[in-house]
Amino acid sequence: MGLGDITRAGVLAAVAECQGLGRETFRRRYGFGRALTYVLVIDGDSYDSKAIAGVAHLYSVGTLLPADDFSGGARTVAHRLRALGFTVEDGSTAADHPQQAEPQMLLQPRGGARLRGAQNFAKSVRQGIRISDIQDVLGDETTTLNALYRDGIARLWGATPTAQANNEKARALRDRRVGDDVYFYTANHFFARARILHLFTSAPVARRVWGSDSDDATWEHIMALGDVEEFPTPVLAAPVLRQMNVRAPLWSLTLRSSESYRSVLPLLPAKSRPVVPSPLTPPSATADQLTAEGLLERLGSLRTHRQPGSNTPSRHQPLALLWAISRISAYKPRLTPWALFRTEVSPLLAEFGLPGSKVTPEYPFWHLRGSDLWEVHGMERDAGAAPGTGALDTHQPVAGLTHTSAELLRDPLIRLQAVIKLCGTYFDGVDQRELLNRVGLAGYATADGLVDEDADGQEGAAATERATGPAARRTRTSSQLVRDAAIATRVKELHGHACQICETRLQYKRRPYSEAAHIRGLGTPHDGPDELPNLLCLCPNHHVLFDGLEIYVDVDGVVRHTHGDESVGRLRQHKGHPIDEAHLDYHRTLCELSRITRS
């Protein structure tokens, strides 16, 4: 695949994405630099040709074409864009905008339980900080962060000052720069990386975001980070550190040169630029002021077709939206070409559409625009009541959720509420568990989500005869979530290994036994944080019931059965164990979906 696969619709979709994000944020999000020789010009506005082409490839065939993968350089890109009917002009010369320096490598210890390292990473990097929540202490940095983060969510990490003038940490703080790559380290492994977008110093911001340590110091040397890439499998750090002459284990913020960074690249995961951002909290209102409430209202009032003599709404649009939501949950591009939409949505329409309804994927592909949650690129809006499949096959337009609705749906709670709204409104009489499984949202069946499954999830062909000898084995490849064992131990010790629901204290092999249960699961599609406020100490029985959505904790702290609402007892609290009510609310909402899909 290459530049020849880019379609006109893909280019228009990439341009729309650039308009929504802003040119600078668009380049940074997808890993491109400023155009040095050729710029795409549409309606008088200029766009970076390589960045547009790379993202256009994503929306044309489903994979981002990174800057490093272009063959033939900017001239070839310009030729392809012109062949698609676009205007490409000579832009500024390379002398006007010299090439950005190669990134250095910043080695960043995350910090352990004493420094709340895991909690802080989940809060300010993985989840992000609302700019509006810290605006009163940001001062002049407000404008910069708002320009960098159009969704209103900043990803921040900081470092405490050092009293020494020329130690490893002091040199790193002094010499790091915008454009460097940060590698996060814990427990002898690198587990994530991100690029520095901005650097500033602010003790008030740091205290608001992270508080202070035991010495009353705060992480005031702050990095604003781009999209964070968490490695499916953490990378053993020792070979990397040894190659760069860094002592293991890593204790201090450490900076290494571009040359040193290049030398260890073969030991690190290949660059995998995310195709979608992944904030875990709802963004602030954007240009069209769509809110979570507005999104849910629109999902519940779709202008769907009704068959003659029936008041039952067609399921074509709701099915297409469930499919689109599953793509957001799986971090796939929000926009897709018509060919892929037709291939994946048509079987859903055949299986779960109204009895007797025709399989017409072109209908939701085009008419979902009326919801104001959906956009189509590559065909004129006045192309008729609905373009036929022949016209769509010819033009290969691109369609999907709008930028704003997709950003809202990246929040796990809003996404869950959207699934409930669609299931409760349009799929009465449907096996909704099977529907969610088929559409790609099977993780909602349990509180812990989908974790560590085989690629095919199957045990292989069933044997017709009883096997003899030892059980057969097969090779299995999977990725595992990295859990912080320290906080699991902490929650058990705080409660003396007594279940917070039934007070049971078990003994196993002469030792106390209890289980740490995540309230909002770490697996897909819940994406919960691995932190103390998201944990409960439970006995095995109540852990199974909690994960299986058979029990929940109501707003008054009473544990109830999901089906019937009978009280089980009151959840016991501990002053040293704060529980985040937002996670309990998410679990309650998940149980609501369980009630709907099981009825």
Side-chain angles (χ1 to χ4, degrees), residues 485-501:
I487 61 170
T489 300
R490 175 68 174 156
V491 75
K492 297 174 186 180
E493 291 175 345
L494 281 171
H495 293 277
H497 292 274
C499 177
Q500 287 182 254
I501 295 176

Side-chain angles (χ1 to χ4, degrees), residues 68-378:
D68 296 341
D69 290 353
F70 282 99
S71 59
R75 187 179 299 276
T76 306
V77 174
H79 177 75
R80 178 57 184 164
L81 292 175
R82 286 168 176 157
L84 292 171
F86 295 101
T87 299
V88 181
E89 297 179 353
D90 289 347
S92 302
T93 64
D96 295 328
H97 299 287
Q99 289 280 7
Q100 182 180 359
E102 286 188 78
Q104 303 175 105
M105 186 179 191
L106 186 66
L107 310 178
Q108 174 67 70
R110 186 201 63 188
R114 184 178 64 85
L115 295 175
R116 304 186 301 277
Q119 296 94 315
N120 286 339
F121 183 88
K123 174 185 178 182
S124 66
V125 177
R126 181 184 295 129
Q127 177 176 332
I129 301 295
R130 287 178 182 272
I131 297 174
S132 58
D133 290 344
I134 59 174
Q135 189 166 339
D136 59 317
V137 292
L138 267 177
D140 293 340
E141 298 296 337
T142 303
T143 301
T144 302
L145 292 190
N146 280 326
L148 288 173
Y149 303 103
R150 291 297 183 94
D151 58 6
I153 306 296
R155 291 172 182 80
L156 305 177
W157 191 257
T160 55
T162 176
Q164 300 185 42
N166 203 34
N167 64 359
E168 193 74 67
K169 182 175 184 179
R171 290 192 295 271
L173 290 174
R174 181 182 64 242
D175 297 335
R176 62 185 179 170
R177 62 197 181 203
V178 171
D180 288 345
D181 286 339
V182 182
Y183 281 75
F184 287 91
Y185 169 96
T186 188
N188 300 312
H189 288 78
F190 294 115
F191 68 96
R193 68 181 160 206
R195 181 153 290 184
I196 300 176
L197 303 183
H198 180 57
L199 294 166
F200 66 102
T201 301
S202 174
V205 170
R207 292 186 190 279
R208 176 70 62 83
V209 174
W210 302 293
S212 303
D213 64 14
S214 57
D215 298 323
D216 199 35
T218 190
W219 294 267
E220 60 192 68
H221 296 286
I222 300 173
M223 299 181 290
L225 301 174
D227 291 312
V228 180
E229 181 187 355
E230 296 193 54
F231 304 138
T233 303
V235 178
L236 185 64
V240 178
L241 299 178
R242 186 165 52 247
Q243 178 77 15
M244 296 189 297
N245 294 319
V246 178
R247 182 178 299 178
L250 181 68
W251 292 110
S252 172
L253 186 69
T254 301
L255 183 68
R256 285 296 180 263
S257 68
S258 302
E259 293 76 16
S260 184
Y261 186 12
R262 281 200 306 271
S263 73
V264 298
L265 281 176
L267 303 175
L268 298 166
K271 285 280 187 175
S272 176
R273 298 182 179 92
V275 298
V276 291
S278 55
L280 298 182
T281 56
S284 57
T286 51
D288 60 4
Q289 296 298 305
L290 181 65
T291 63
E293 293 74 15
L295 181 143
L296 296 175
E297 191 278 329
R298 293 180 191 186
L299 290 177
S301 56
L302 298 172
R303 288 181 280 180
T304 57
H305 173 73
R306 283 170 168 75
Q307 293 179 337
S310 172
N311 288 324
T312 305
S314 167
R315 295 174 184 156
H316 281 44
Q317 290 189 42
L319 282 167
L321 285 168
L322 279 176
W323 172 83
I325 290 171
S326 76
R327 291 180 61 82
I328 298 298
S329 173
Y331 304 105
K332 294 179 179 178
R334 64 182 178 90
L335 301 175
T336 54
W338 156 249
L340 178 62
F341 180 94
R342 182 181 190 178
T343 298
E344 295 192 2
V345 174
S346 292
L348 299 174
L349 303 182
E351 186 172 354
F352 298 102
L354 289 175
S357 64
K358 296 181 179 179
V359 177
T360 53
E362 65 274 16
Y363 179 85
F365 185 88
W366 184 254
H367 284 294
L368 268 171
R369 296 174 308 153
S371 67
D372 291 329
L373 304 175
W374 192 266
E375 59 189 45
V376 179
H377 301 279

Side-chain angles (χ1 to χ4, degrees), residues 376-452:
V376 179
H377 301 279
M379 294 196 74
E380 298 297 329
R381 291 185 65 88
D382 59 356
T389 56
L392 295 172
D393 288 343
T394 298
H395 293 280
Q396 279 300 317
V398 173
L401 293 164
T402 64
H403 176 78
T404 307
S405 57
E407 289 295 310
L408 285 168
L409 287 165
R410 297 195 208 290
D411 176 87
L413 179 57
I414 296 175
R415 189 165 63 235
L416 174 57
Q417 292 169 335
V419 171
I420 291 174
K421 175 65 72 173
L422 289 169
C423 286
T425 305
Y426 303 103
F427 295 104
D428 186 38
V430 173
D431 184 343
Q432 295 183 16
R433 290 208 162 196
E434 178 60 21
L435 167 62
L436 294 182
N437 180 58
R438 286 278 289 104
V439 84
L441 294 170
Y444 285 125
T446 64
D448 51 353
L450 296 179
V451 184
D452 297 334

